[in-house]
């Protein structure tokens, strides 16, 4: 597979994507005080669906072909429904910073799936990096529990990381068929539909929700849930899945800083240590892709 250089427009897109996704962890923790995890995910992606749909109509995006509809629902279910429900449920007990560290392990899984599914190269350093990454994840999982016990919420967030990896690898095969905006819109719609089961609870929650919480979720829908996904698809059109995913290890640094400013919250020292080990492993696993 040919490696492409990161030019200025792509670098700007990646930077914006990282900042937006990093801010989502603190916004989720803030909104979970008002909304339940399923209600939060539904409201976020109802907003994203409306915004992306309006823009797509204005840009006259092409309609999806009938043969692609099952794939769009598969991608939406994995990358939107499963990922965001798991992340929201996990963040009920895991700090925003630690959640971002766990999600940063996604490139490990992406490298594995890309090796198996896309036949992307993974050398000896890649396998060593993946082993280090899993060791770091184990430390984070211990660090978020009391008295070094395993924190169940951390395992739920690992499900989110795993689904993000599967989504990125599967997405690579289909993104060439549609422009980034159209493709993202259809995936967001497909992922939002299963979450409509939370609609009755959401309607009740909205009656008592303060405007600050509603605005936080609206932000999640328009920017981390809308614009950032468009930028991700744009990046995948220009870089290998494992290469683009390697940039995600920068996200925890931003997420921890945002969570400290917004929520006055930082992960435990063991989680931070585990995050450094995991990030080092991720960087090693993807070093060949970045240099090539």
């Amino acid at each position: 597979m040919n490696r492409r250089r990161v030019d200025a427009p792509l670098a700007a897109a990646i930077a914006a994507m990282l900042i937006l996704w990093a801010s989502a962890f603190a916004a989720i923790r803030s909104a979970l005080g008002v909304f339940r995890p399923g209600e939060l995910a539904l409201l976020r992606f109802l907003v994203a669906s409306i915004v992306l749909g309006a823009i797509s109509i204005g840009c006259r995006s092409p309609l999806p072909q009938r043969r692609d509809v099952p794939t769009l629902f598969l991608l939406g279910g994995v990358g939107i429904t499963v990922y965001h429900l798991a992340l929201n449920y996990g963040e009920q007990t895991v700090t925003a910073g630690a959640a971002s560290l766990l999600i940063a392990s996604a490139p490990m899984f992406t490298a594995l799936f890309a090796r198996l599914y896309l036949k992307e190269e993974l050398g000896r350093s890649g396998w060593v990096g993946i082993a280090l990454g899993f060791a770091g994840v184990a430390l984070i999982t211990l660090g978020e529990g009391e008295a070094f016990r395993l924190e169940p919420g951390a395992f739920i967030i690992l499900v989110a990381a795993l689904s993000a990896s599967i989504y990125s690898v599967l997405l690579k095969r289909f993104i060439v068929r549609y422009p980034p905006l159209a493709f993202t819109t259809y995936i967001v719609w497909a992922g939002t539909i299963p979450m409509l089961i939370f609609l009755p609870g959401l309607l009740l929650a909205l009656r008592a929700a303060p405007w600050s919480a509603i605005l936080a979720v609206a932000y999640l829908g328009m920017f981390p849930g809308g614009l950032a996904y468009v930028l991700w698809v744009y990046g995948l059109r220009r870089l290998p899945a494992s290469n683009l995913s390697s940039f995600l290890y920068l996200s925890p640094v931003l997420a921890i800083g945002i969570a400290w400013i917004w929520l006055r919250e930082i992960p435990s020292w063991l989680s931070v240590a585990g995050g450094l080990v995991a990030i080092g492993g991720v960087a090693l696993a993807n070093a060949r892709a970045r240099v090539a």
Side-chain angles (χ1 to χ4, degrees):
M1 179 178 291
N2 294 328
R3 308 296 183 185
R4 301 186 185 182
R5 299 187 65 177
V6 178
D7 55 21
L10 180 56
I14 292 172
M17 176 190 72
L18 289 174
I19 293 171
L20 291 175
W21 273 347
S23 68
F25 295 99
I28 289 170
R29 284 281 284 183
S30 174
L32 281 173
V34 177
F35 298 101
R36 295 177 180 175
E39 299 163 359
L40 171 57
L42 174 58
L43 179 57
R44 174 180 179 176
F45 282 96
L46 282 176
V47 173
S49 295
I50 293 170
V51 172
L52 290 173
I55 297 173
S56 295
I57 292 172
C59 295
R60 298 183 179 181
S61 296
L63 293 174
Q65 299 180 23
R66 182 177 299 178
R67 64 173 183 169
D68 294 332
V69 171
T71 300
L72 292 172
F73 271 97
L74 172 63
L75 290 170
V78 172
I80 302 298
T81 312
V82 174
Y83 175 86
H84 289 283
L85 288 177
L87 180 60
N88 289 357
Y89 276 101
E91 279 207 55
Q92 290 183 111
T93 56
V94 174
T95 61
S100 69
L101 289 168
L102 287 166
I103 293 298
S105 68
M108 268 189 325
F109 300 113
T110 301
L112 282 172
F113 290 131
R115 174 68 183 88
L116 297 173
Y117 187 65
L118 301 178
K119 306 304 180 184
E120 293 183 6
E121 296 180 2
L122 184 63
R124 182 180 300 176
S125 63
W127 291 109
V128 173
I130 287 172
L132 281 175
F134 279 112
V137 166
L139 288 176
I140 299 169
T141 304
L142 287 170
E144 288 300 291
E146 296 179 2
F148 299 101
R149 70 175 177 83
L150 297 177
E151 171 53 58
F155 287 104
I156 298 175
I157 293 178
L158 279 179
V159 172
L162 184 62
S163 68
S165 303
I166 296 172
Y167 169 78
S168 296
V169 174
L170 294 178
L171 188 69
K172 191 71 177 177
R173 285 285 180 89
F174 297 96
I175 54 176
V176 295
R177 298 183 185 178
Y178 301 94
L181 174 61
F183 200 84
T184 304
T185 300
Y186 300 140
I187 288 175
V188 166
W189 286 353
T192 303
I193 289 173
M195 293 191 285
L196 290 173
I197 60 173
F198 300 107
L199 184 58
L202 174 60
L203 294 176
L204 290 175
L206 283 172
R207 295 178 182 176
W211 276 105
S212 58
I214 295 174
L215 290 175
V217 180
Y219 167 80
L220 281 168
M222 287 186 287
F223 297 103
L227 177 58
Y229 272 88
V230 176
L231 296 174
W232 178 252
V233 173
Y234 169 74
L236 279 177
R237 289 172 67 95
R238 301 191 54 191
L239 288 175
S242 58
N243 199 354
L244 181 62
S245 294
S246 68
F247 286 98
L248 293 178
Y249 73 81
L250 297 172
S251 181
V253 178
L254 299 170
I256 290 172
I258 293 170
W260 179 76
I261 294 172
W262 190 342
L263 305 174
R264 297 297 175 185
E265 170 188 280
I266 58 173
S268 70
W269 65 268
L270 187 58
S271 292
V272 172
L276 292 175
V277 173
I279 288 170
V282 168
L284 183 60
N286 290 278
R288 186 169 184 175
R290 292 197 303 275
V291 173

